[in-house]
Amino acid sequence: MSQGDGGRLTTHVLDTASGKPAAGLKIALYRIGGKSPRKLKDVVTNEDGRCDAPLLQGKDFQTGQYELVFFAGDYLRGKHKKLPDPLFLDEIPIRFGMAEAKHYHVPLLISPFGYSTYRGS
């Protein structure tokens, strides 16, 4: 696993049902490897649906497999009324690999009944 000065990981979350950034959404970051995933940190999105700082950067950045778990259910319950119980979407895990020391951006677009992601820039 290599480290890189230019590597960093960022994310942001947009609520496509409201057309606004998903502020106050909790996200957990895990490194995947070994016998079980290792939690690296928990963050909460700001008013712009972004984290205040990169999730990984500099000496903390390593290539490998990671997982972001977006706690969408907690956010959706607070923002959208008349949702079913249980929710269709609650925790949304996105597992991905970072093969080089460069910028990886993993955005999430959510609504109560669907989500999408992609490798952003």
Side-chain angles (χ1 to χ4, degrees):
M1 309 290 170
S2 65
Q3 293 183 333
D5 294 330
R8 66 186 167 120
L9 172 63
T10 59
T11 188
H12 77 275
V13 186
L14 299 174
D15 182 337
T16 58
S18 69
K20 297 180 180 178
L25 192 144
K26 180 182 168 187
I27 305 166
L29 172 65
Y30 294 86
R31 179 163 174 79
I32 307 301
K35 294 181 181 180
S36 62
R38 182 171 50 101
K39 185 185 259 190
L40 300 178
K41 64 174 60 176
D42 288 312
V43 296
V44 176
T45 58
N46 60 24
E47 291 299 312
D48 196 31
R50 298 177 183 273
C51 301
D52 290 330
L55 297 168
L56 295 173
Q57 69 178 345
K59 64 181 175 75
D60 293 329
F61 181 90
Q62 293 184 344
T63 58
Q65 281 200 314
Y66 291 84
E67 184 173 84
L68 288 169
V69 178
F70 295 85
F71 292 86
D74 295 339
Y75 167 83
L76 292 168
R77 282 183 196 94
K79 299 295 180 186
H80 299 279
K81 305 304 175 209
K82 298 182 182 180
L83 293 177
D85 185 23
L87 293 176
F88 180 67
L89 294 173
D90 195 354
E91 294 179 13
I92 300 173
I94 299 174
R95 191 169 284 193
F96 58 95
M98 298 189 297
E100 301 175 71
K102 55 188 349 180
H103 182 197
Y104 289 83
H105 184 67
V106 182
L108 180 69
L109 309 175
I110 61 168
S111 78
F113 301 101
Y115 71 92
S116 65
T117 189
Y118 55 93
R119 180 171 174 197
S121 58

